[in-house]
Amino acid sequence: MGLEKRFEKQKYLSTPDRIDLAESLGLSQLQVKTWYQNRRMKWKKIVLQGGGLESPTKPKGRPKKNSIPSSEQLTEQERTKEAEKPAEVPGEPSDRSRED
């Protein structure tokens, strides 16, 4: 019941919240974490079937699945940047080859 009450208020627990809840209920942190993961899956399933009032959401600040570029995308971005750089004029020293 303690886990259910807390879940109604808070769908995701931070580490300190999880520690406090586990201690107050006499459970391990792993038990609380696993219960929350399973309960969120059940909650999302209910919501997606139209039985819930809230929509399932991810916690703020977590990157979206495709927001982190792959190595291929990074390589393509680097090629694009190189192509956009102005060509060096022969006879003029570049910033890289200039000696102080």
Side-chain angles (χ1 to χ4, degrees):
M1 287 300 289
L3 289 167
E4 280 291 340
K5 285 180 184 179
R6 184 67 174 264
F7 184 79
E8 287 302 314
K9 296 176 189 173
Q10 193 175 6
K11 303 296 188 243
Y12 292 86
L13 291 176
S14 65
T15 303
D17 288 340
R18 186 175 64 231
I19 292 168
D20 291 341
L21 184 59
E23 287 177 359
S24 70
L25 297 174
L27 301 170
S28 72
Q29 291 182 52
L30 183 59
Q31 287 174 308
V32 172
K33 181 179 177 180
T34 303
W35 186 91
Y36 253 79
Q37 288 173 337
N38 291 336
R39 186 61 180 86
R40 274 194 304 269
M41 292 305 296
K42 181 179 176 182
W43 170 68
K44 286 179 183 180
K45 191 175 181 180
I46 292 167
V47 169
L48 292 174
Q49 289 175 352
L53 301 174
E54 304 173 54
S55 63
T57 58
K58 292 184 178 179
K60 293 179 183 174
R62 185 177 284 188
K64 293 181 181 175
K65 186 176 183 180
N66 296 327
S67 68
I68 301 171
S70 66
S71 58
E72 293 86 15
Q73 290 170 325
L74 289 173
T75 305
E76 183 62 33
Q77 289 173 356
E78 289 170 2
R79 276 191 235 130
T80 303
K81 286 180 184 176
E82 285 295 322
E84 291 173 354
K85 285 184 179 179
E88 291 183 21
V89 177
E92 288 187 19
S94 68
D95 289 340
R96 293 184 200 149
S97 64
R98 188 178 349 159
E99 294 182 24
D100 291 325

